[in-house]
Amino acid sequence: MQDIPIGALLTALVLLIFLSAFFSASEIAVMSINRYRLRHLVESGHRGARVVDALLARPDRLLGIILLGNNFVNIAASSVATILAIRLYGEAGILAAAVLLTIVILIFAEVGPKTLAAMHPERIAFPAGMILRPLLTVLYPLVWLINILANLVLRIFGVTVGARAQELSMEELRAAVREAGSLIPESHQNMLLGILDLEKTSVEEVMVPRNRIQGIDLDKDWGEIEEQIMSSRYTRLPVYRSSLDNIVGIVHLRKALNLAGNKNLTMETLEKIIAEPYFIPKGTPLNTQLLNFRDAKRRRGLVIDEYGDILGLVTLEEILEEIVGEFTTSAHGIGEGYRLQDDGSYIVKGSTSLRDLNRQLDWHLPTKGQHTLNGMITEYLEAIPEVGTSLLVDDYAVEVLRTRGTAVEVARIIPQRRKDDEAADETEAG
């Protein structure tokens, strides 16, 4: 060692620190690379991506070669630094060399390279893979022996080493969509989140409830039936006798109007164009029903409970609105089931869907359990409310304005932000 020039030792020390930085950066870059983008690059034929993907297939071997190289160069650097300290300052320089080398390695071979690799994993991982793969081939017997010993230790603790697929849960996938930022336009993000949320929503949450279904009663006078066909704003209507429990089928009004135009619309010809009803079991998730509509070539169906009773009607359009939003717009402050008042409160029909209120007004009324405003009020009170009854549901003030029989027909709702504004005004006035 005394014959080795000090300049050569310094050069060797710098080279060893550089190699340590390479192994440190390679470890972080390869392990933190986006696996889904990596898969895309592999499919597109990227050479560096294919190499890294092959290395990640056995992470124990990859880590083995990286850590073997990193520890070897660090120990070698420590030995060279010790020799330099003794050559320059004698034994008194050993402690100073150890402290100085520790600082240099931490900054230039650990923290710095790893931070850079974490910020730009692809720029580091792909070139590093080209070096690590042949290095792993050359040193495979040593890496294999080290891995065998390490895997034996892991098995003692019940850990099985092998390739592990990186999977995202639904919540993680939702978070990834929300955090996509400018990569995905906000409107597209909302659509993607709407698709992911379909499985959490059942058909009865978006259906038209039974008491709001408009249909054709074949037991009525023909004149009434004909007038209903001519004036209806819907393209398809359920057909029944006396009540929905005696459902006959669904009629396409365009066919009926064509018959009327040819002066051929009669009770007999109407019955001939009635299609068989399509039933949907209660509790069917929207994503499942969307596929069922496609397979059955249907656009609407009747929701039934376990006893076969009809609960409501679901259309394809209502499911699609859960993804893309409302197809139709209304005048400012006016919805189908609610109306904005001058004082900031809303007059809401009891049959209005809670999901519609939340979506259209950006509210957060509870939707678990009951699905309409009337259902929410009666469930909360556990009784049939009287006119003038007030309650507070999740910070929304609700007042019953009108009832009909056992149901709430109209109620007033004061949203939380309106209450917060009033409180702020009172504070400022005080």
Side-chain angles (χ1 to χ4, degrees), residues 67-84:
L67 295 178
L68 178 64
N70 201 21
N71 281 282
F72 174 79
V73 296
N74 284 343
I75 293 172
S78 178
S79 300
V80 172
T82 301
I83 295 172
L84 275 172

Side-chain angles (χ1 to χ4, degrees), residues 369-389:
Q370 300 297 327
H371 308 305
T372 64
L373 177 61
N374 169 60
M376 183 192 75
I377 293 174
T378 54
E379 182 180 70
Y380 186 88
L381 294 176
E382 297 182 347
I384 306 302
E386 298 179 355
V387 174
T389 302

Side-chain angles (χ1 to χ4, degrees), residues 10-55:
L10 284 172
T11 302
L13 182 59
V14 172
L15 178 61
L16 290 170
I17 292 174
F18 173 79
L19 290 174
S20 178
F22 164 76
F23 285 114
S24 297
S26 300
E27 178 184 1
I28 297 300
V30 174
M31 291 302 172
S32 62
I33 195 169
N34 188 310
R35 304 297 174 89
Y36 300 97
R37 174 168 170 76
L38 178 65
R39 194 170 303 162
H40 167 71
L41 292 174
V42 169
E43 293 174 355
S44 64
H46 192 285
R47 183 185 176 191
R50 290 201 304 266
V51 172
V52 172
D53 187 59
L55 290 172

Side-chain angles (χ1 to χ4, degrees), residues 213-229 231 237-244 246 248 266-268 270-271:
I213 295 178
Q214 296 185 21
I216 298 175
D217 185 356
L218 294 180
D219 288 342
K220 288 185 177 180
D221 294 335
W222 173 247
E224 293 182 35
I225 295 175
E226 191 173 19
E227 181 181 355
Q228 184 178 6
I229 291 174
S231 60
L237 287 178
V239 180
Y240 57 89
R241 295 189 182 278
S242 298
S243 74
L244 275 174
N246 299 317
V248 176
T266 64
M267 181 66 78
E268 291 74 18
L270 177 63
E271 291 179 354

Side-chain angles (χ1 to χ4, degrees), residues 208-281:
V208 177
R210 177 188 174 116
N211 62 346
R212 290 173 53 191
I213 295 178
Q214 296 185 21
I216 298 175
D217 185 356
L218 294 180
D219 288 342
K220 288 185 177 180
D221 294 335
W222 173 247
E224 293 182 35
I225 295 175
E226 191 173 19
E227 181 181 355
Q228 184 178 6
I229 291 174
M230 297 300 178
S231 60
S232 178
R233 61 190 180 95
Y234 298 103
T235 58
R236 294 173 176 85
L237 287 178
V239 180
Y240 57 89
R241 295 189 182 278
S242 298
S243 74
L244 275 174
D245 293 324
N246 299 317
I247 189 76
V248 176
I250 304 292
V251 63
H252 198 310
L253 295 189
R254 184 179 300 172
K255 296 180 180 180
L257 292 174
N258 288 337
L259 290 174
N262 297 325
K263 308 297 183 180
N264 291 326
L265 181 60
T266 64
M267 181 66 78
E268 291 74 18
T269 57
L270 177 63
E271 291 179 354
K272 289 181 180 179
I273 62 173
I274 296 175
E276 291 185 1
Y278 177 71
F279 297 107
I280 304 170

Side-chain angles (χ1 to χ4, degrees), residues 272-422:
K272 289 181 180 179
I273 62 173
I274 296 175
E276 291 185 1
Y278 177 71
F279 297 107
I280 304 170
K282 171 186 175 182
T284 303
L286 292 188
N287 61 331
T288 300
Q289 188 52 47
L290 187 62
L291 298 177
N292 291 342
F293 274 143
R294 182 198 65 185
D295 296 338
K297 302 296 187 293
R298 295 292 191 118
R299 298 177 64 90
R300 63 187 58 212
L302 296 164
V303 181
I304 58 174
D305 62 13
E306 61 268 29
Y307 304 107
D309 296 332
I310 294 175
L311 301 178
L313 182 143
V314 171
T315 66
L316 176 63
E317 289 77 9
E318 286 161 345
I319 297 179
L320 294 178
E321 283 182 354
E322 293 294 311
I323 302 174
V324 301
E326 298 290 336
F327 289 143
T328 59
T329 58
S330 56
H332 177 67
I334 301 176
E336 184 178 350
Y338 62 88
R339 183 178 294 273
L340 176 64
Q341 302 301 295
D342 293 337
D343 61 357
S345 64
Y346 288 81
I347 303 299
V348 186
K349 293 180 181 179
S351 59
T352 305
S353 165
L354 297 175
R355 287 180 58 82
D356 289 343
L357 290 174
N358 288 341
R359 183 171 59 241
Q360 296 172 15
L361 301 176
D362 194 24
W363 288 359
H364 299 88
L365 292 168
T367 56
K368 291 186 178 180
Q370 300 297 327
H371 308 305
T372 64
L373 177 61
N374 169 60
M376 183 192 75
I377 293 174
T378 54
E379 182 180 70
Y380 186 88
L381 294 176
E382 297 182 347
I384 306 302
E386 298 179 355
V387 174
T389 302
S390 298
L391 59 151
L392 190 65
V393 181
D394 285 3
D395 295 327
Y396 290 86
V398 182
E399 180 186 1
V400 178
L401 299 182
R402 188 166 71 241
T403 62
R404 175 178 292 180
T406 59
V408 175
E409 190 173 28
V410 180
R412 182 194 305 275
I413 300 179
I414 303 177
Q416 177 60 45
R417 59 176 177 269
R418 171 64 182 165
K419 293 170 59 185
D420 291 342
D421 292 343
E422 292 177 353

